[in-house]
Amino acid sequence: MKVEFAPLSVPLQRRLQTASVVQWIFSFLGLAQCCTAAFIVLFFTRFWLVSTIYAAWWLIDREKPSKGGRRIHILRNCIVWRYMRDYFPITLMKTAELDPRQNYLVGFHPHGVLAAGAFLNFCTEASGFSMLFPGITPHLMMLSLWFRIPFFRDYVMSGGLIPSDKESASYVLQKPEGGNLLAIIVGGAQEALDARPGSFTLLLKNRKGFVRLAIQHGTPLVPAFSFGENDVFDQVKNPKGSWLRRIQHRLQKIMGISLPLFHARGILQYSFGLIPYRRPICTVVGKPIPVQKKHRPSEEEVDQVHQKYLNELSNLFEKHKAKYNIPEDSHLEFI
């Protein structure tokens, strides 16, 4: 006999969606600190052996993040990510096929405050990445700092996150049989300081390391723009030259991460809080830009490919912006 379950009520669905977003925000704003505290505190309890064994495992496993990580498909397919997808909602759209016999380097724009679109689309299966791009294994780069935190490093690796360094990137891109996709949020943490609704400013004009990397490996470049990424949070005004911006830049140099002062709605009210607004995010993946392999490209060669990438990214934005209610006179600005 087939057992059928009644569909969840709309209020319950919305509560579950909000809860999924809360746990995601906590996982990146609070879980790292909790993991560090737990690792240290356990040493001074009768469970000291847990931290001791993990420390030994950590030493043995220390190279794993830079060797492609350790994805866990059960976690990537967890239902909580589907609730998170439906909260905004978040969608993934392809504009061209990707050949699984090749590797690809995807430039993701913009960073946004917490890169919700990048995480959900490339680190989970909630938006159907494997169905849209069969035979392609996605990897998303993240600040190396997070992979030095006990327990937390295993959590982020489970989704396909790897450290943002050249060694890790090269390992993914040099797979001879192809099938790897490396996504880089090119603007990085610094770009998050300009993430606010209606902003289309990208920190990209002088960022050419990802282009050089693509040329060295002969890897096609793929532009991706996440419409709505900047719209889910408001941010305290921090114009360039202001005292707040100077403090944020200084902290970024010291800590390696930016600290945007963001806010949106609360859990039980819509006036103020750290929960993002329910605004749609759609990540559009463009067509591959062929790149000729050269071990030591000249500055002129890098500049040429970089300019081609900027043009393709701008074309992608202009072609699709009308679908997402972006004014006709709004264009990408590269700084």
Side-chain angles (χ1 to χ4, degrees):
M1 184 176 71
K2 184 179 179 181
V3 179
E4 295 186 358
F5 295 93
L8 298 176
S9 65
V10 173
L12 180 56
Q13 289 182 23
R14 293 178 72 87
R15 291 192 188 101
L16 289 172
Q17 291 166 8
T18 302
S20 69
V21 173
V22 170
Q23 71 82 29
W24 167 68
I25 292 175
F26 169 75
S27 70
F28 285 96
L29 298 184
L31 184 58
Q33 292 84 343
C34 291
C35 288
T36 303
F39 179 74
I40 296 172
V41 170
L42 284 174
F43 273 117
F44 301 96
T45 69
R46 60 179 178 174
F47 302 106
W48 59 271
L49 192 58
V50 174
S51 288
T52 302
I53 293 175
Y54 184 84
W57 160 252
W58 191 3
L59 182 64
I60 296 171
D61 195 56
R62 64 186 181 277
E63 299 297 329
K64 191 62 178 178
S66 61
K67 302 298 180 182
R70 185 188 300 105
R71 67 185 57 235
I72 301 176
H73 292 287
I74 292 178
L75 293 181
R76 282 180 58 89
N77 286 280
C78 184
I79 191 172
V80 70
W81 306 129
R82 295 199 290 275
Y83 283 121
M84 177 181 168
R85 172 200 65 196
D86 295 337
Y87 173 89
F88 292 94
I90 295 177
T91 54
L92 179 65
M93 174 184 172
K94 73 173 181 180
T95 60
E97 297 293 336
L98 298 185
D99 187 350
R101 294 170 296 181
Q102 281 191 306
N103 298 316
Y104 296 92
L105 196 160
V106 172
F108 182 93
H109 315 273
H111 183 286
V113 172
L114 294 179
F119 172 80
L120 192 126
N121 287 319
F122 297 117
C123 298
T124 81
E125 288 296 331
S127 57
F129 181 92
S130 295
M131 294 181 64
L132 283 173
F133 303 104
I136 303 292
T137 301
H139 301 265
L140 178 65
M141 302 199 84
M142 185 181 191
L143 283 174
S144 302
L145 167 70
W146 300 112
F147 295 88
R148 300 170 192 159
I149 300 174
F151 304 121
F152 187 76
R153 67 189 287 273
D154 300 283
Y155 168 71
V156 295
M157 278 196 294
S158 69
L161 285 156
I162 62 172
S164 55
D165 56 53
K166 189 175 181 179
E167 179 186 0
S168 302
S170 296
Y171 183 88
V172 171
L173 296 178
Q174 66 189 7
K175 184 180 178 182
E177 62 272 28
N180 275 348
L181 180 149
L182 178 65
I184 301 178
I185 307 177
V186 182
Q190 188 175 343
E191 190 176 79
L193 299 178
D194 289 314
R196 49 179 46 86
S199 173
F200 303 107
T201 301
L202 302 181
L203 189 60
L204 185 57
K205 188 175 182 179
N206 296 312
R207 298 218 164 182
K208 303 175 183 178
F210 74 106
V211 174
R212 185 179 298 277
L213 186 67
I215 296 175
Q216 290 173 343
H217 291 276
T219 305
L221 281 166
V222 182
F225 192 86
S226 197
F227 292 90
E229 192 74 48
N230 283 342
D231 297 337
V232 296
F233 288 104
D234 290 316
Q235 188 172 168
V236 175
K237 291 184 178 180
N238 59 342
K240 293 180 181 179
S242 65
W243 63 270
L244 177 56
R245 190 63 166 247
R246 289 196 296 269
I247 291 175
Q248 289 173 324
H249 276 306
R250 181 164 297 184
L251 289 174
Q252 181 187 348
K253 291 180 179 179
I254 296 173
M255 303 169 61
I257 58 176
S258 64
L259 296 172
L261 297 181
F262 63 91
H263 59 90
R265 49 158 289 193
I267 297 177
L268 301 176
Q269 45 76 33
Y270 295 87
S271 300
F272 186 84
L274 298 180
I275 310 302
Y277 297 118
R278 287 180 178 266
R279 294 173 180 169
I281 297 174
C282 182
T283 301
V284 181
V285 180
K287 62 181 181 180
I289 302 171
V291 174
Q292 185 175 359
K293 185 176 181 178
K294 189 170 185 179
H295 183 60
R296 293 183 179 178
S298 65
E299 291 297 327
E300 291 75 16
E301 290 170 323
V302 172
D303 290 343
Q304 184 179 9
V305 176
H306 182 260
Q307 186 59 52
K308 188 173 182 179
Y309 179 86
L310 295 182
N311 294 339
E312 290 295 332
L313 179 60
S314 295
N315 292 337
L316 182 71
F317 177 81
E318 296 295 333
K319 183 177 180 180
H320 295 276
K321 68 180 183 181
K323 302 175 187 176
Y324 306 103
N325 300 317
I326 296 175
E328 183 65 29
D329 59 351
S330 294
H331 309 285
L332 293 183
E333 179 186 0
F334 302 122
I335 61 172

